[in-house]
Structures are given as structure tokens and as C-alpha cells.
Amino acid sequence: ESCTGGWVGRAAAAIAGSSDWYERGFVTYSNAAKQELLGVREGTIERYGDRFLSRVFTDIERMKSDGRAMRAASYAKRFAAKEACAKALGTGFRQGVFWRDMGVVNLPSGRPTLELTGGALKALVDLTPEGHDVRIDLTITDDFPMAQAIVIISAFRIPMRD
């Protein structure tokens, strides 16, 4: 796994199993190092509590995650999806885009996607070319204790009707 430098790089280089030297990044092959630095822990939810969950996750996300055996992993995947979506929108969590403006949902086919509201929806509308519709593709993985997500926002032309 590769990560950028800065705080993450300094912290990871201090963990046994990661590279001792890096320039603008590092590589670690140690699962223990990745878990220690970036892992999913139930204790994180307990430490930050209901206030954190209410601020970040939609009611639907909370209901689904709280019903899962791997509760922390479910929340972590949704958290990663929101971060990836904010980046795909090009706003990050600025310009009126908040955590709860993005919610992980499943289409009837079972395919995961994100439902946007508020500032995230406004950013998506602003990003969408005229005469186009959008599709948000989301892939989530949870190679416990890691959670990762990729979001791709695609615009496609709406066919003209005669």
C-alpha cells in the first residue's frame, strides 16, 4: 500500500514493517502497520459516540450499519465512500458539502451508489454539463480491518426526442 508523506508518512515510518526512508511517500507491506495507522476499530465508534455517528451518517446508514455483525467495518466503508465522493465532486468537505449530504444506498439490483442531498447535490448539479444526466458508481471493499472506496461520477448525454 502506498500513502503520501506528511503526517501519515512520519507516523507510518515509525511503525515496524514500513520503510525507514521515503521522499513524498512510503510503502508498507506490514498488515500490522496498516491496521495500526489506518485500521477500523470498534473502539473508535465507542470513543466518539452517538454525536459523531449522527453528524456523519444518514439515518438509513446508521440503521444498516447498526444491524451488521461487523458494525465498525460497515461504518468505515460508508465513511470511505463519503470521502471519495467529496473528492470526486471536487469540493471536499467545503463549499456547503457536509457528511450527511452523501448517503450510501443500494439500488434494487443491489449495486451500491450514493444518494446526494443539500450541498453535495448542488455541487453535482453544478458539475453536470447541460443536456446530460449523471451516474455515480461506487465500489467499496473491506479487507478487514481496512476500508476503501472509489467513486466515479460519469455524465452521459440525454437522447433528444423528436
Side-chain angles (χ1 to χ4, degrees), residues 4-5 16 33 38 50 80 88 91 113 117 121 126-127 133 138 140 144:
T4 58
L38 303 169
D50 195 56
T91 60
T113 189
T117 61
L121 180 58
D126 292 347
L127 186 67
D133 204 350
L138 167 63
I140 309 172
F144 187 82

Side-chain angles (χ1 to χ4, degrees), residues 44-59:
T44 302
I45 294 173
E46 302 309 320
R47 184 174 343 140
Y48 296 105
D50 195 56
R51 183 171 177 240
F52 166 74
L53 296 177
S54 295
R55 183 174 160 237
V56 174
F57 300 100
T58 66
D59 293 340

Side-chain angles (χ1 to χ4, degrees), residues 1-161:
E1 297 289 330
S2 62
C3 294
T4 58
W7 177 86
V8 173
R10 286 190 304 278
I15 300 171
S18 61
S19 58
D20 291 332
W21 183 88
Y22 63 91
E23 181 177 344
R24 296 189 191 142
F26 72 95
V27 176
T28 179
Y29 297 100
S30 165
N31 233 9
K34 291 185 280 186
Q35 290 173 22
E36 182 176 330
L37 186 63
L38 303 169
V40 176
R41 296 176 192 88
E42 188 69 37
T44 302
I45 294 173
E46 302 309 320
R47 184 174 343 140
Y48 296 105
D50 195 56
R51 183 171 177 240
F52 166 74
L53 296 177
S54 295
R55 183 174 160 237
V56 174
F57 300 100
T58 66
D59 293 340
I60 292 170
E61 289 176 309
R62 292 190 64 191
M63 183 181 68
K64 285 193 171 211
S65 293
D66 287 342
R68 303 251 196 260
M70 302 283 287
R71 180 175 176 242
S74 179
Y75 276 118
K77 288 187 291 187
R78 294 166 196 285
F79 190 92
K82 291 167 184 273
E83 286 188 314
C85 184
K87 290 175 183 176
L89 289 170
T91 60
F93 292 100
R94 304 179 320 273
Q95 300 175 19
V97 175
F98 299 100
W99 290 98
R100 287 180 51 99
D101 291 345
M102 297 163 278
V104 176
V105 296
N106 293 90
L107 298 175
S109 65
R111 179 175 71 87
T113 189
L114 285 135
E115 185 174 274
L116 306 186
T117 61
L121 180 58
K122 182 185 180 314
L124 180 65
V125 168
D126 292 347
L127 186 67
T128 305
E130 189 174 325
H132 289 70
D133 204 350
V134 293
R135 174 177 164 149
I136 301 175
D137 289 301
L138 167 63
T139 183
I140 309 172
T141 184
D142 63 339
D143 184 14
F144 187 82
M146 305 299 291
Q148 299 174 9
I150 297 172
V151 170
I152 299 172
I153 300 173
S154 305
F156 55 93
R157 185 171 294 282
I158 299 170
M160 298 294 286
R161 296 188 185 215

